Amino acid sequence: MGKITILVVEDEAAIQQLVSYNLIKAGFHVTCADNGEEALDCLLQENIDCVLLDLMLPGMSGLEVCENIRRKSEKNGRYIPIVKLTAKGEEEDVVEGLEFGADDLVTKPFSPKVLIARIKAVLRRGYERQKQQEDDQSTIMVGDLEINRGRHEVMLQG
């Protein structure tokens, strides 16, 4: 397995560079997008493992991007963890960000070390979730015996 790829969606160049630098230093591969449309294009073209998403973007908002990613990941069966970055730290902003499909939310200003730790945590949870989905869909065939692990069902000759 190669390096884990993080898509950083941030329109402020200074923050994008700071986050990218720290992610690369932590051993991740980084792809950047300046807006929501560019982020969705990156997701189609590259194998992204996690998205770090600013909520206040030009054009399509971070909430719309998050909803779009969740809708597409349900269709293709591949779960992509999302960590939202926001300058809005009020309780209702945090709740809204999480309700729109984020796995975690980090408020600006942030500690790069805390951000890296949160990304690693959502990657672990995302990996476990993906593994569970694969296990739920797996069927084992041995002769006339069929075992469906997800449904906890065993059938012999149909």
Side-chain angles (χ1 to χ4, degrees):
M1 183 175 145
K3 281 187 177 182
I4 291 172
T5 301
I6 310 291
L7 173 60
V8 177
V9 187
E10 172 62 61
D11 61 319
E12 292 183 42
I15 295 174
Q16 190 183 92
Q17 287 177 345
L18 172 72
V19 169
S20 297
Y21 170 78
N22 283 285
L23 289 170
I24 291 167
K25 193 171 140 187
F28 295 108
H29 178 264
V30 177
T31 298
C32 294
D34 298 322
N35 58 56
E37 292 82 2
E38 191 179 334
L40 295 175
D41 287 342
C42 285
L43 286 165
L44 292 173
Q45 297 172 13
E46 296 184 44
N47 189 19
I48 302 296
D49 299 299
C50 181
V51 177
L52 184 59
L53 178 63
D54 184 17
L55 288 182
M56 295 187 289
L57 295 168
M60 181 184 283
S61 77
L63 293 175
E64 291 173 298
V65 174
C66 187
E67 283 184 308
N68 203 309
I69 293 170
R70 285 290 165 252
R71 213 176 12 259
K72 288 181 180 180
S73 68
E74 285 176 13
K75 287 181 184 176
N76 69 18
R78 183 170 177 264
Y79 188 81
I80 300 173
I82 300 171
V83 177
K84 290 187 181 176
L85 267 179
T86 183
K88 299 169 140 185
E90 298 297 320
E91 182 178 351
E92 56 271 1
D93 298 318
V94 173
V95 170
E96 180 182 45
L98 294 170
E99 285 180 347
F100 271 78
D103 295 282
D104 202 350
L105 190 134
V106 176
T107 56
K108 296 174 187 175
F110 57 88
S111 157
K113 286 183 180 181
V114 170
L115 180 63
I116 301 293
R118 287 180 178 265
I119 289 172
K120 287 179 179 179
V122 298
L123 284 167
R124 277 192 307 273
R125 291 191 304 263
Y127 172 77
E128 290 165 4
R129 182 182 189 139
Q130 185 71 33
K131 180 123 175 64
Q132 182 63 44
Q133 284 177 347
E134 290 168 3
D135 287 349
D136 288 350
Q137 296 171 357
S138 68
T139 301
I140 300 168
M141 300 288 292
V142 181
D144 292 334
L145 186 66
E146 180 180 339
I147 303 168
N148 186 306
R149 295 174 59 176
R151 292 192 308 238
H152 302 283
E153 181 178 81
V154 178
M155 294 177 63
L156 182 60
Q157 297 176 340

